[in-house]
Amino acid sequence: MPSPPVSSHTACDESSVHEDRIYDVLIVGAGILGCALAVTLARHGRQVLLIERNLNEPDRIVGELLQPGGVAALSQLGLGFCLEGIGAVPVTGYRIFYHGDVITFLYPPVLDCSKDSSDQCSSKRPEGRSFHHGRFVMKLREAARREKHAEIVQTTARELLWSGCPKRVVGVRCYSHTEEQPVDYYAHLTIVADGQASKFRSKLVDRYPTANSRFWGLELIDADLGSYSLALGIIGHGGPVLMYQIGERETRILIDIPDTVYRTCSKHGGIETHIRTNVISTLPDTVRPAVERALATKRLRSMPNNWLPSFETRIPGVVLLGDAMNMRHPLTGGGMTVALNDVVLLSQLLSPEQAPSLKDSATVLRQMRKFHWKRKATNASLNILAQALYCLFVADDPLLEVLQQGFMKYIKHGGKYVEEPSGLMGGVYHSPFLLCYHFFSIAIYSLWIHLCEVGADAPWKLPTALIQCFLIFWRAVKLISPYILVEFH
């Protein structure tokens, strides 16, 4: 592997660096995307350097639910074995609780042609996986270490190295507690995948994530969810609550608390008091004791629920990926699926056949422009669904409550009315058009139910109900259209 030179200047002349000291790819961040991409590019014969400030097992409260689409992408990358030996729990669907109403929906059947002969294909319901985030990351890092063309270094990237006119990124400057001087690492392509709090995003683009709520998480022990393989969602009482097993005895609970609520409860006993007073009573009876025990013995931790529409990085020599480039509300658990879908697409667009030399910035920029638009085919529906679903069910709005009730009744029809929406959520189906079809079908169905109920109870109020229907539909359009427009901008 190349050995890095030491330099004291952020602006540098790459031509002064010997070619055998320049990596093909330098990846900042050994998380889900960084590790998977390092393995993929190394298998293409690229010399890859993966740097991470802390290679100890990470401990996070999100990134623990991988949808079936993500499991399929991981398998396509030849990394399916990373889900083995970490105590991963199969996830077959969701059980949703809404004001005492309960519905269960499973991921839709797909053709399983794993056998040699295509005429032996069978229909099979796909499964997601839930697990301890850190264990999964460590398996991915282990896979990267085994690649002969990949190297992992524990160090902190502090600055980008620039060269030429027009300027291009040629590497990063790193600092380590084991080195007295900073170390400069050079690469033909630098990939920044340093997560939601990326320190380099603002230096490359004028884009910033926004968040209106946080997920507050606890780890429950021996919680009775009622089903081993179903994730639970509690909606309709303010911020949604998610629960899913991450181990044989461990269950993750994530409680969405909007910033407006947080500011209020901070003055009246804090988050723990808010959860005891306003959240526990909305949960299924079987899990309440485990939540009480966790509040008494475990630490509450939180993560911002960021939204960041995807964008292109049009600077030669550098690319932003992962949460540094695109985030959506974690309500639907689509983050890792989006990241792994991106790696699958990049493995094609940056293959030696498509981009023989990553030193050719013009070719790389052209391929990354293709990536920006092609990724929408697999990820746009996940991004739009996460934001729209959250905005729908967090709203304290009588008009949107009609849509909430219509959603539950729509899903109860079964068949395609439940399986196609669950397929979109699980990353099994990739179609913004299918998403819009069901969203507006739910809206129209909700209006029909509203009119029928008013007509049965008070027919003389139908003219008013018709006006309400117009307002409800307009609210539905206003709810989803910003996310559609920004996604395809």
Side-chain angles (χ1 to χ4, degrees):
M1 289 292 176
S3 57
V6 177
S7 172
S8 60
H9 302 287
T10 303
C12 62
D13 181 8
E14 188 189 18
S15 62
S16 65
V17 182
H18 198 277
E19 185 67 24
D20 65 4
R21 292 187 169 208
I22 302 177
Y23 292 86
D24 291 314
V25 183
L26 187 158
I27 301 175
V28 180
I32 305 297
L33 183 140
C35 290
L37 188 57
V39 170
T40 300
L41 295 178
R43 289 174 180 175
H44 288 168
R46 312 284 195 188
Q47 295 293 327
V48 180
L49 174 65
L50 179 61
I51 62 174
E52 169 62 41
R53 65 181 178 84
N54 187 348
L55 288 173
N56 293 326
E57 183 175 316
D59 181 16
R60 297 181 62 192
I61 63 170
V62 293
E64 298 174 316
L65 176 60
L66 183 63
Q67 296 284 9
V71 174
L74 197 68
S75 178
Q76 191 173 344
L77 293 168
L79 290 169
F81 64 88
C82 290
L83 291 172
E84 299 171 1
I86 61 172
V89 177
V91 179
T92 58
Y94 286 82
R95 179 166 291 150
I96 303 298
F97 296 78
Y98 176 80
H99 293 295
D101 208 0
V102 183
I103 58 170
T104 300
F105 58 90
L106 306 177
Y107 299 121
V110 296
L111 283 179
D112 179 15
C113 299
S114 56
K115 297 182 180 180
D116 295 335
S117 177
S118 60
D119 60 2
Q120 294 182 349
C121 291
S122 59
S123 181
K124 180 181 179 182
R125 291 188 183 274
E127 294 180 343
R129 292 289 187 276
S130 54
F131 41 71
H132 288 271
H133 172 83
R135 296 177 188 174
F136 182 47
V137 170
M138 295 304 283
K139 287 295 288 277
L140 288 169
R141 289 175 181 173
E142 181 184 329
R145 282 194 183 93
R146 289 204 294 265
E147 295 298 324
K148 67 177 182 179
H149 294 297
E151 179 182 354
I152 303 181
V153 174
Q154 179 170 299
T155 186
T156 301
R158 293 282 180 85
E159 304 171 55
L160 295 171
L161 300 176
W162 299 81
S163 177
C165 185
K167 281 190 173 183
R168 65 188 298 266
V169 172
V170 296
V172 295
R173 173 162 297 165
C174 298
Y175 293 80
S176 171
H177 68 277
T178 61
E179 301 284 346
E180 293 184 1
Q181 297 293 325
V183 178
D184 291 351
Y185 293 97
Y186 294 90
H188 298 315
L189 178 62
T190 298
I191 294 174
V192 176
D194 56 345
Q196 62 174 356
S198 172
K199 69 173 68 174
F200 296 116
R201 185 194 298 119
S202 62
K203 303 182 188 315
L204 297 169
V205 294
D206 187 24
R207 298 292 184 96
Y208 303 91
T210 59
N212 297 316
S213 70
R214 300 180 73 90
F215 258 150
W216 291 79
L218 285 166
E219 185 176 303
L220 312 181
I221 302 299
D222 296 331
D224 181 5
L225 300 187
S227 176
Y228 176 70
S229 62
L230 290 176
L232 304 189
I234 295 87
I235 55 179
H237 303 277
V241 177
L242 296 181
M243 286 182 282
Y244 45 85
Q245 271 190 261
I246 55 174
E248 184 177 353
R249 299 182 60 199
E250 305 88 6
T251 293
R252 174 68 66 204
I253 181 171
L254 295 172
I255 303 165
D256 181 275
I257 297 182
D259 292 345
T260 51
V261 175
Y262 173 70
R263 287 192 290 269
T264 301
C265 67
S266 295
K267 302 174 183 177
H268 300 87
I271 292 296
E272 289 189 21
T273 299
H274 171 77
I275 292 173
R276 285 194 171 96
T277 305
N278 301 302
V279 177
I280 290 180
S281 61
T282 69
L283 304 179
D285 294 342
T286 57
V287 303
R288 293 179 188 178
V291 178
E292 289 280 10
R293 290 196 302 270
L295 278 174
T297 59
K298 301 280 185 179
R299 59 192 174 110
L300 261 173
R301 293 182 291 162
S302 71
M303 291 283 289
N305 295 324
N306 286 317
W307 176 51
L308 180 66
S310 62
F311 53 85
E312 288 184 77
T313 313
R314 300 178 182 177
I315 300 172
V318 65
V319 173
L320 277 162
L321 292 175
D323 284 350
M325 181 267 289
N326 183 208
M327 288 181 279
R328 79 290 314 144
H329 195 285
L331 173 64
T332 57
M336 290 187 291
T337 299
V338 168
L340 293 169
N341 284 340
D342 282 349
V343 175
V344 170
L345 181 56
L346 285 169
S347 71
Q348 301 163 6
L349 294 176
L350 295 183
S351 67
E353 294 78 20
Q354 296 291 324
S357 173
L358 298 182
K359 189 176 182 180
D360 182 356
S361 294
T363 296
V364 172
L365 285 173
R366 184 168 60 251
Q367 294 301 97
M368 292 310 299
R369 181 161 183 78
K370 291 180 182 178
F371 166 76
H372 176 72
W373 289 102
K374 285 189 173 184
R375 73 185 294 272
K376 297 182 184 300
T378 53
N379 294 333
S381 53
L382 287 167
N383 287 335
I384 297 168
L385 178 61
Q387 294 303 124
L389 205 58
Y390 175 73
C391 290
L392 173 61
F393 281 104
V394 79
D396 183 16
D397 181 336
L399 297 179
L400 289 182
E401 284 179 10
V402 174
L403 293 179
Q404 294 173 7
Q405 296 164 10
F407 170 84
M408 296 294 290
K409 292 176 180 178
Y410 184 89
I411 295 296
K412 284 185 176 181
H413 282 285
K416 73 172 187 178
Y417 302 106
V418 60
E419 292 190 338
E420 288 181 354
S422 67
L424 289 165
M425 185 181 296
V428 178
Y429 298 148
H430 312 291
S431 173
F433 302 104
L434 185 63
L435 170 61
C436 290
Y437 166 78
H438 281 289
F439 182 86
F440 287 107
S441 294
I442 290 170
I444 294 170
Y445 181 65
S446 302
L447 302 183
W448 172 250
I449 292 174
H450 181 61
L451 287 174
C452 289
E453 290 176 348
V454 171
D457 296 339
W460 60 90
K461 292 184 179 180
L462 278 174
T464 302
L466 285 170
I467 296 173
Q468 289 176 334
C469 286
F470 172 80
L471 295 175
I472 292 168
F473 191 79
W474 177 241
R475 288 287 283 117
V477 172
K478 286 182 64 178
L479 188 149
I480 196 171
S481 58
Y483 304 115
I484 295 174
L485 292 174
V486 76
E487 189 68 26
F488 291 97
H489 177 66

